[in-house]
């Protein structure tokens, strides 16, 4: 593998922790007795699974924001589209067990007096097709959107605003009953997935493990991409886009690659999220959701592999805690977090830690160099001339 | 070099009466001018300026000959600008500019602030589209039809006025990203370092005297080192033509000397256009100089001749 | 007008020559004598004939008798067949004179017989009454009567209308009467030529009611000339209606555009002039709306008489509240983030969350009632479209705010400093302009204008903590569409987006129309990333 050496120990620790979680959490839920101190209660498994999906979403955003400098305020849309693709599969799995007992049409279509299945629902009774759509639909939207946006060099804040407009337009669209995606209520009342009852403990445990696996895959993919020459090019585009153009690189292709890959990852996160929370509705397209993702990545530290994962887990844990303990306070906290992180912690937790660590190491080396006069160490010391 | 001097002399002569330069330029470039000593002129018997209204056939033949003549002349050049005009909100940054750079030539371009030097670079590299005029590279590639990446791919490298390097990357990685080769995104994804690449980077590091800084982040380089790194990146790109915008701004005298030496070295293998204010540096280069003023060529020739030109003195020192 | 008068004269002549009871001849008839004809057992036809005679007198004094007849309160005395009005079932009944309404003695119920009526007679009565009110003293009543007759009058009403037209002095009322008469003519069996003339009158009227009459005529008429005339008339009216529909759409569009302009204009300052992305801009609007609410509550509690002035009082307060919050946000947060637009975006989004939740905690999550002062309520008609006062005032207000802002930017020292800082911060600083203060004041100005917008929006939108969120994306779209850094661009952008939105709505529906607009905008930004009225130049993308 091209990246094994370059990823660094920290990332492998993260991967190990995730793999361990994928095994231990289900085990502690399924096989430890409820009285056991290490028992993981039933409610916690899908909750943790949700966090892991969010972490994957944050990682996807980090790929475009942290590494390529595209602040997408519409990543929630890709997440939701992946979720809808999965939701459509789960809807078709209900079959004749719905309230109206129609073997072909989901309940909401019967309710709206629809007579036949819209063409875009064809094929979603097959898991493989649905899984393909989970990748294709967000990827295609991102590709088309990105193709036009990057080709005409919409950058910076303008790009952020039109990504926000994109998810807003989708929000409005999915609220309409005529769209055939359940309108306001979205898709829910799922019964089973791949033949397993969706609410069963073992299914939930398996979904959690799958989410962890997806996150591990996401970390490795993003790691591989960002450590490749293309990854260096991404950072180059982020820092000096016109320089890359004058070197003959097509900056728009670099961005398009990252944006599309990121959208696909977000779609996967959404697809894993839906069976664990049991519903997907247009609210997922709300621009606010997409901006929240940004703060996860910012808190953890953008432009790092670890940061978005840590940020997503921390912020969402905080959200769960505070919405229960002090519901009114959560939005104050979240708002404050946006302000504090951008003002005081622009590198995020991981970035700040790295920066501090580097500074410390440099100072120690400089001291050693002074004392010992060893010339080898001066290389890494910043030139004081600047 | 007689050819080159001839062409540039001609352009200079044509630009002397600034007020009606356009018509003169078009005639001279459209048809062989006997005064310029073009061998074709006598044979075809085409008078430079028709005194009476010509016969329709004559007009047609004239147009054909003009096209041929232009093609021939243009084809021999590396960079060919003719009648280029670009205005921003009514302000003419480039005004009917004509400039020819031969293959293998190094040319220095001087001019006061706002003379249109940077805009000219922008036009050549595809960042800005001219309102009118022709820009040809290698004789037959119309640069106005291509964008930055394509033009860079054709072999035109550019150094910015403000040193622009990838600050979050090491010196080595900066050069690696600049190295000539495939610009495909997928190849970049699966790229592996190999020996020729390493060797090439070593060469450039040696040339730009950055060997000791190879692992340093570009952000931590001094201003002069950044300038050198950028020139090194240009070399890594291995272009046919280098456009170098103010390479010695902010450099010490010693660094300036070094840079002049470096550019002279480079000009052995590449064509170079240098934009610079620093007259010592331009003198050190020892090449033909073009002076721009208000978007047009004011004077052209050896530095001593140009700097002695009263109009050049006037625009630099004021009335 | 000349044509209408000639027509009226022509109709008058025809009526004179015709067999119908001539109004002119009826002038000398004593209405009392006619009323007495109701007495005695008689056929419904005879009763209807008497009603016609009464109507033909054109004497308003017979109205009482007719109304009593319609309500079944007209009786005749068995002994002498004299006619009276009797109210109620008292025995003995109190007799009232049918014309004067004076008491005329009493009589036992058993000696009285009710004048029988049926539905067709009731219709005749109401037509006759309408004809009589055509002569009422108050022009408004006459106008109303003429309007009522338009949909009801038939052949019998023509005579009464003719009489009324002849006597009418107010042109507007006469025109209505002539239109009603034309409608009546079309319902009668008058000759075709006369009907063709009537079609022209209706075509001139050109509203939906006239269209209905013409449509039913063209459907029922066998006469080819008349049929064609009716069709042509209907087509002409339809195009008139289509024109007014379009005008109405444009009006709605302007109205929406003015709302967008109000919401976006503050943003045009902070984003356009300063380059600061203020995601809390919508919340500044919301604060303005809540300031209005508080002002109105205070007025309701302390000085109800001032209610009509509540908006005027709220305007400066809203400007101050939002402006001060903006100033605080700039001083505490944004000034540390200049040159980092994406970070500014995130930090101000955080501010927006805090402000929203703050208002929710203070005022509750539900909508708050903000009343319209008298001069903001109601509507009036222009042609076939209806114009509400509050929308009109908001358009005027938006334009005034725009003009004032333009003046501030272009004519005041502060505006000059603001523009200087925008164009070249370092140069401005070198000239002795205190750039940090200019930044802070500019931001406060933009926020204050958002507050003012909130006062206006409180009149047409729900005042809730989410008020601002609904506008933020639209506002950004307006500013980006119009071109950053250009107030005129914002004006044109707001108005054209408003009109585009409202023109799409009839075809696509409100939601789909909005989606289409968003998609078009996204495409537009890709085509012209710097908006409609972009600043051009070398340094723009530096």
């Amino acid at each position: 593998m091209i990246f094994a050496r370059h990823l660094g120990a920290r990332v492998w620790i993260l991967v190990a922790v995730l793999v361990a979680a994928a095994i231990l959490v289900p085990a502690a839920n399924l096989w430890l007795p409820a009285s056991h101190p290490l028992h993981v209660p039933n409610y916690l498994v899908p909750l943790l699974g949700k966090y892991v999906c969010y972490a994957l979403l944050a990682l996807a955003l980090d790929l475009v924001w942290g590494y390529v400098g595209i602040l997408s305020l519409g990543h929630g849309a890709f997440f939701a589209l992946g979720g809808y693709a999965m939701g459509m599969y789960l809807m078709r799995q209900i079959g004749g067990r719905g309230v109206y007992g129609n073997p072909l049409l989901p309940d909401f279509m019967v309710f709206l007096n629809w007579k036949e299945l819209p063409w875009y629902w064809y094929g979603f009774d097959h898991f493989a097709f649905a899984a393909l759509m989970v990748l294709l639909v967000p990827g295609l939207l991102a590709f088309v959107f990105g193709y036009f946006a990057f080709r005409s060099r919409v950058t910076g804040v303008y790009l952020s605003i039109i990504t926000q407009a994109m998810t807003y337009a989708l929000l409005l669209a999915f609220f309409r009953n005529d769209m055939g995606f359940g309108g306001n209520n979205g898709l829910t009342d799922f019964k089973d997935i791949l033949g397993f009852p969706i609410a069963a403990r073992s299914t939930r445990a398996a979904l959690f493990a799958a989410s962890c696996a997806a996150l591990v895959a996401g970390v490795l993919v993003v790691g591989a991409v960002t450590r490749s020459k293309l990854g260096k090019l991404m950072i180059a585009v982020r820092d000096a886009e016109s320089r890359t153009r004058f070197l003959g690189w097509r900056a728009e292709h670099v961005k398009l690659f990252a944006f599309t890959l990121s959208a696909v990852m977000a779609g996967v996160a959404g697809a894993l999220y839906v069976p664990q929370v049991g519903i997907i509705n247009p609210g997922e397209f709300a621009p606010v959701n997409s901006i929240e993702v940004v703060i996860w990545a910012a808190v953890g530290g953008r432009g790092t592999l670890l940061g978005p994962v840590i940020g997503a887990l921390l912020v969402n844990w905080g959200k769960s805690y505070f919405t229960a303990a002090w519901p009114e306070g959560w939005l104050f906290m979240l708002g404050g977090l946006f302000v504090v992180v951008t003002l005081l912690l622009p590198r995020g937790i991981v970035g700040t830690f790295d920066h501090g660590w580097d500074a410390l190491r440099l100072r120690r080396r400089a001291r050693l160099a002074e004392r010992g006069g060893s010339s080898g160490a001066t290389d890494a010391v910043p030139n004081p001339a600047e | 070099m007689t050819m080159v001097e001839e062409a540039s002399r001609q352009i200079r002569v044509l630009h002397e009466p600034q007020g009606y330069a356009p018509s003169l330029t078009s005639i001279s470039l459209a048809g062989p001018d006997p005064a310029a000593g073009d061998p074709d002129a006598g044979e075809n018997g085409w008078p430079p300026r028709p005194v009476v209204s010509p016969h329709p056939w004559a007009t047609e033949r004239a147009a054909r000959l003009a096209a041929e003549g232009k093609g021939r002349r243009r084809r021999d050049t590396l960079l060919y600008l003719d009648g280029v005009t670009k205005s921003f909100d009514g302000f003419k940054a480039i005004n009917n500019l004509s400039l020819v750079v031969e293959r293998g030539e190094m040319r220095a371009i001087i001019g006061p602030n706002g003379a249109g030097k940077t805009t000219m670079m922008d036009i050549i590299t595809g960042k800005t589209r001219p309102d009118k005029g022709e820009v040809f590279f290698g004789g037959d590639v119309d640069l106005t039809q291509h964008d930055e990446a394509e033009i860079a791919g054709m072999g035109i490298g550019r150094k910015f006025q403000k040193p622009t390097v990838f600050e979050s990357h090491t010196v080595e990685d900066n050069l690696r990203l600049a190295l000539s080769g495939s610009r495909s995104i997928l190849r970049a994804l699966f790229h592996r370092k190999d020996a020729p690449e390493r060797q090439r980077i070593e060469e450039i590091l040696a040339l730009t005297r950055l060997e000791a800084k190879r692992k340093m982040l570009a952000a931590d380089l001094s201003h002069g080192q950044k300038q050198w790194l950028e020139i090194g990146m240009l070399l890594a790109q291995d272009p046919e033509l280098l456009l170098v915008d103010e390479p010695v701004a902010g450099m010490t005298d010693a660094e300036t000397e070094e840079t002049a030496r470096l550019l002279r070295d480079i000009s052995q293998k590449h064509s170079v256009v240098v934009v610079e204010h620093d007259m010592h540096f331009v003198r050190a280069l020892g090449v033909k100089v073009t002076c721009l003023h208000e978007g047009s060529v004011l004077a052209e020739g050896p530095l001593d001749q140009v700097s002695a030109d009263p109009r050049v003195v006037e625009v630099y020192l004021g009335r | 007008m000349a044509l209408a008068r000639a027509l009226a004269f022509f109709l008058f002549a025809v009526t004179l020559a015709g067999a119908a009871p001539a109004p002119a001849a009826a002038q000398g008839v004593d209405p009392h004598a006619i009323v007495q004809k109701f007495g005695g057992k008689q056929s419904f036809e005879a009763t209807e004939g008497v009603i016609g005679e009464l109507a033909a007198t054109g004497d308003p004094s017979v109205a009482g008798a007719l109304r009593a007849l319609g309500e079944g309160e007209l009786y005749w005395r068995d002994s002498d067949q004299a006619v009276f009005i009797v109210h109620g079932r008292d025995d003995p009944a109190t007799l009232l004179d049918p014309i004067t309404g004076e008491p005329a003695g009493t009589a036992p119920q058993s000696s009285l017989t009710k004048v029988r009526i049926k539905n067709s007679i009731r219709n005749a009565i109401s037509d006759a009454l309408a004809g009589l009110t055509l002569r009422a003293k108050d022009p408004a009543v006459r106008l109303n009567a003429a309007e009522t007759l338009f949909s009801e009058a038939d052949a019998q009403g023509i005579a009464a209308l003719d009489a009324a037209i002849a006597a009418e002095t107010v042109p507007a009322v006469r025109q209505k009467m002539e239109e009603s008469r034309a409608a009546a003519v079309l319902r009668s069996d008058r000759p075709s030529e006369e009907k063709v003339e009537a079609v022209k009158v209706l075509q001139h009227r050109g509203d939906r009611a006239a269209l209905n009459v013409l449509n039913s005529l063209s459907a029922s008429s066998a006469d080819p000339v008349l049929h064609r005339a009716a069709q042509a008339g209907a087509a002409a009216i339809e195009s008139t209606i289509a024109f007014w529909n379009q005008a109405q759409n444009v009006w709605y569009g302007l109205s929406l555009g003015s709302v967008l302009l109000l919401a976006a204009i503050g943003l045009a300052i902070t984003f356009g002039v300063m380059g600061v992305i203020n995601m809390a801009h919508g919340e500044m609007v919301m604060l303005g709306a809540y300031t209005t609410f508080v002002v109105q509550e205070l007025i309701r509690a302390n000085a109800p008489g001032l209610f009509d002035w509540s908006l005027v009082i709220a305007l400066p307060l809203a400007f101050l509240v939002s402006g001060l919050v903006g100033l605080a946000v700039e001083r505490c947060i944004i000034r540390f983030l200049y040159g980092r637009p994406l970070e500014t975006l995130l930090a101000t989004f955080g501010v927006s969350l805090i402000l929203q939740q703050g208002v929710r905690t203070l005022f509750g999550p539900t909508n708050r009632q903000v009343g319209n002062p008298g001069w903001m309520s109601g509507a009036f008609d222009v042609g076939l479209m209806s114009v509400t006062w509050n929308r009109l005032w908001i358009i005027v207000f938006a334009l005034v705010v725009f003009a004032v802002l333009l003046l501030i930017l272009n004519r005041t020292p502060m505006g000059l400093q603001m523009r200087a800082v925008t164009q070249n911060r370092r140069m401005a600083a070198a000239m002795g302009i205190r750039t940090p203060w200019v930044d802070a004041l500019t931001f406060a100005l933009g926020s204050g204008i958002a507050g003012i917008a909130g006062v206006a929006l409180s009149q047409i939108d729900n005042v809730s903590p989410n008020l601002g969120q609904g506008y933020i994306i639209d506002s950004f779209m307006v500013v980006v569409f119009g071109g950053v850094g250009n107030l005129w661009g914002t004006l044109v952008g707001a108005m054209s987006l408003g009109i585009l939105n409202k023109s799409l709505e009839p075809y696509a529906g409100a939601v789909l129309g909005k989606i289409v607009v968003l998609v078009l905008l996204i495409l537009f930004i890709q085509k012209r990333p710097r908006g409609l009225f972009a600043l051009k130049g070398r340094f723009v993308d530096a």
Side-chain angles (χ1 to χ4, degrees), chain B residues 169-287:
Chain B
H169 285 318
T170 61
V171 170
E172 247 181 7
D173 280 342
N174 267 285
L175 293 176
R176 186 165 286 119
L177 283 176
L179 271 188
S180 59
S182 165
R183 292 298 194 240
S184 145
I185 299 303
L186 284 180
R187 292 239 184 104
L189 181 59
F190 298 109
H191 176 83
R192 310 214 42 188
K193 296 170 191 169
D194 54 13
E197 181 185 303
R198 246 167 255 190
Q199 195 192 333
R200 185 94 184 89
I201 290 177
E202 285 305 321
E203 281 169 26
I204 295 166
L205 284 174
L207 201 61
T208 52
R209 304 191 172 178
L210 289 168
E211 293 118 314
K213 318 271 180 196
R214 71 178 73 206
K215 296 284 182 204
M216 255 171 82
L217 291 187
D220 299 331
L221 295 178
S222 74
H223 186 81
Q225 285 164 339
K226 279 184 193 167
Q227 299 267 39
W228 281 45
L229 174 58
E230 202 176 1
I231 294 174
M233 287 164 75
L234 238 64
L235 287 175
Q237 210 184 331
D238 196 20
E240 210 174 337
L241 173 66
L242 281 82
L243 303 175
V244 187
D245 203 348
E246 304 203 6
V248 296
M251 280 190 181
T252 62
D253 284 352
E255 282 173 331
T256 304
E257 283 296 316
E258 277 299 300
T259 309
R261 180 195 56 80
L262 181 63
L263 282 178
R264 277 200 306 269
D265 280 358
I266 290 170
S267 73
Q268 302 300 315
K269 288 185 195 158
H270 309 265
S271 306
V272 183
V273 173
V274 187
V275 168
E276 190 47 78
H277 279 303
D278 188 327
M279 285 301 162
H280 297 291
F281 175 72
V282 173
R283 193 169 296 281
L285 289 180
V287 294

Side-chain angles (χ1 to χ4, degrees), chain C residues 268-444:
Chain C
I269 302 236
T270 50
F271 181 40
V273 177
M274 297 173 72
V276 166
I277 303 293
N278 183 12
M279 293 297 277
H281 182 79
E283 277 58 44
M284 303 295 176
V285 175
M286 175 200 60
L287 286 182
Y290 271 93
T291 308
T292 317
F293 166 71
V294 171
V295 166
Q296 286 200 349
E297 287 299 296
L298 288 176
I299 286 180
R300 277 207 186 96
N302 301 319
L306 281 176
F307 190 75
D308 270 359
W309 291 93
S310 58
L311 296 189
V312 181
I313 298 168
L315 275 181
L317 289 176
F319 183 86
L320 272 183
V321 169
S322 296
L324 285 178
V325 172
L327 191 71
V329 169
E330 202 276 344
R331 283 288 88 186
C332 300
I333 298 171
I334 291 174
R335 71 176 166 130
F336 300 110
L337 297 172
Y338 282 120
R340 288 155 66 195
L342 296 181
E343 270 92 343
T344 315
L345 188 156
L346 294 179
T348 49
F349 181 75
V351 172
S352 89
L353 288 182
I354 293 173
L355 287 176
Q356 264 179 49
Q357 186 58 42
V359 167
R360 202 172 284 132
T361 309
L362 271 177
F363 294 94
T366 50
N367 291 348
R368 286 303 180 158
Q369 186 61 41
V370 172
N372 292 357
W375 47 273
M376 287 281 276
S377 20
F380 61 94
D381 285 343
V382 175
L384 295 182
M385 72 184 199
S386 144
V387 174
T388 53
W389 278 108
N390 58 1
R391 294 275 170 180
L392 182 66
W393 278 119
I394 285 176
I395 292 182
V396 171
F397 181 66
L399 293 177
V400 168
V401 170
F402 177 79
V404 169
L405 202 56
L406 215 55
L407 274 183
I408 290 179
L409 279 183
N410 292 336
R411 292 273 184 277
T412 64
M414 183 192 164
L416 184 66
Q417 294 194 352
M418 272 164 61
R419 283 179 295 139
V421 172
T422 313
Q423 284 172 21
N424 193 333
R425 174 173 301 271
R426 287 170 60 187
M427 191 64 210
M431 302 282 289
I433 296 175
R434 290 198 292 171
T435 53
W437 265 113
V438 174
D439 287 333
L441 287 181
T442 312
F443 196 81

Side-chain angles (χ1 to χ4, degrees), chain A residues 76-77 80 84 167-168 170-177 179 181-187 279-287 289:
Chain A
Y84 264 97
T167 190
Y168 185 56
L170 283 169
L171 168 78
L172 294 176
F174 273 75
F175 263 124
R176 304 177 69 233
N177 281 328
M179 281 285 284
F181 296 108
N184 204 353
N185 300 321
L187 310 175
I279 184 169
I280 174 79
N281 64 25
E284 296 293 338
F285 285 104
N289 284 16

